Amino acid sequence: SQQGEEDPQALSIQEGENATMNCSYKTSINNLQWYRQNSGRGLVHLILIRSNEREKHSGRLRVTLDTSKKSSSLLITASRAADTASYFCATGASGGSYIPTFGRGTSLIVHP
Amino acid sequence: KAGVTQTPRYLIKTRGQQVTLSCSPISGHRSVSWYQQTPGQGLQFLFEYFSETQRNKGNFPGRFSGRQFSNSRSEMNVSTLELGDSALYLCASSLTGQEFREQFFGPGTRLTVL
């Protein structure tokens, strides 16, 4: 079963609005990453947050991590039509295990 | 730097056939991972190679195999294709494979099994 699960499954907003996506996971992690995928193409790495970090920023992206709740959120501020894509969280389990698990993704549509 | 390349981009096969997909990682990257993406199961990890050795493996049957060459290029093979193998196969490379870190994905190979 998928460890990371994004919520909501789909999100539709207007350009200029903020978009917030959430991710929950089940086991202890080393880090959590967010990726973006444009329709039918490869994934693009957005941001990595380590288990000992609580918040990270990159441009219009803000990621938070709450290890006590085993959850993370991705905030995209001032969204643009070009942000339309699917967003995935991915976790690497702690304890040296490499095997990454991806959630099913949030499909974001930004209307111009 | 050139990105991760995958060939072919599209492939149509029939049940029972076998297929080989190729991946060239970013220069200097020694870890190559393969993923299967389907609408039903999402993105699932197949296996990871590092320095020509398979170090990690997901939960897929033995029909799925791979290898890595000394130049870090990797191939993935699926034998006795089934309809359910229709998917987007993604390859990703990273500098090291010691833990799950930032991965650089290729555009994928879209496999259709008829």
Side-chain angles (χ1 to χ4, degrees):
Chain A
S1 64
Q2 300 281 14
Q3 163 151 258
E5 293 294 340
E6 291 88 348
D7 171 67
Q9 288 187 355
L11 186 58
S12 180
I13 59 175
Q14 294 295 128
E15 216 169 24
E17 294 181 339
N18 295 341
T20 300
M21 290 158 259
N22 303 297
C23 167
S24 59
Y25 57 92
K26 296 177 183 173
T27 62
S28 296
I29 60 171
N30 273 331
N31 64 67
L32 185 145
Q33 300 174 44
W34 285 91
Y35 287 82
R36 182 188 75 227
Q37 183 180 35
N38 291 89
S39 181
R41 303 172 84 172
L43 280 71
V44 174
H45 182 266
L46 295 176
I47 199 163
L48 181 154
I49 186 166
R50 296 197 175 278
S51 59
N52 61 354
E53 297 176 307
R54 292 295 167 259
E55 188 171 311
K56 209 161 182 181
H57 296 256
S58 177
R60 295 183 295 111
L61 306 180
R62 173 180 169 246
V63 167
T64 61
L65 179 63
D66 187 334
T67 53
S68 67
K69 295 181 179 177
K70 291 186 168 57
S71 68
S72 174
S73 68
L74 169 67
L75 168 68
I76 304 174
T77 60
S79 62
R80 305 166 182 168
D83 295 328
T84 294
S86 291
Y87 292 81
F88 296 87
C89 68
T91 56
S94 63
S97 169
Y98 176 90
I99 297 177
T101 47
F102 283 76
R104 293 186 182 276
T106 292
S107 176
L108 172 66
I109 297 175
V110 181
H111 300 278
Chain B
K1 270 187 183 177
V4 177
T5 58
Q6 290 186 248
T7 57
R9 292 293 311 279
Y10 302 91
L11 206 48
I12 299 175
K13 292 285 189 178
T14 56
R15 278 182 299 175
Q17 288 187 312
Q18 76 165 21
V19 66
T20 299
L21 311 181
S22 181
C23 171
S24 292
I26 290 173
S27 177
H29 285 193
R30 297 169 63 189
S31 172
V32 174
S33 297
W34 288 90
Y35 297 85
Q36 182 196 64
Q37 186 176 32
T38 62
Q41 297 298 317
L43 195 65
Q44 293 189 297
F45 173 77
L46 280 156
F47 30 65
E48 182 247 352
Y49 285 87
F50 184 83
S51 292
E52 302 178 63
T53 300
Q54 184 184 92
R55 297 202 309 179
N56 295 282
K57 189 176 189 300
N59 189 26
F60 277 82
R63 299 186 298 108
F64 292 82
S65 63
R67 59 178 175 168
Q68 186 180 34
F69 302 94
S70 58
N71 61 359
S72 293
R73 190 176 70 84
S74 177
E75 287 182 347
M76 189 193 109
N77 185 76
V78 188
S79 63
T80 319
L81 284 166
E82 300 177 359
L83 294 179
D85 296 333
S86 293
L88 180 66
Y89 289 88
L90 294 163
C91 162
S93 74
S94 62
L95 275 170
T96 69
Q98 292 176 331
E99 65 172 5
F100 179 49
R101 291 190 170 183
E102 176 184 6
Q103 300 207 309
F104 296 83
F105 282 80
T109 293
R110 173 77 61 185
L111 172 64
T112 302
V113 182
L114 303 176

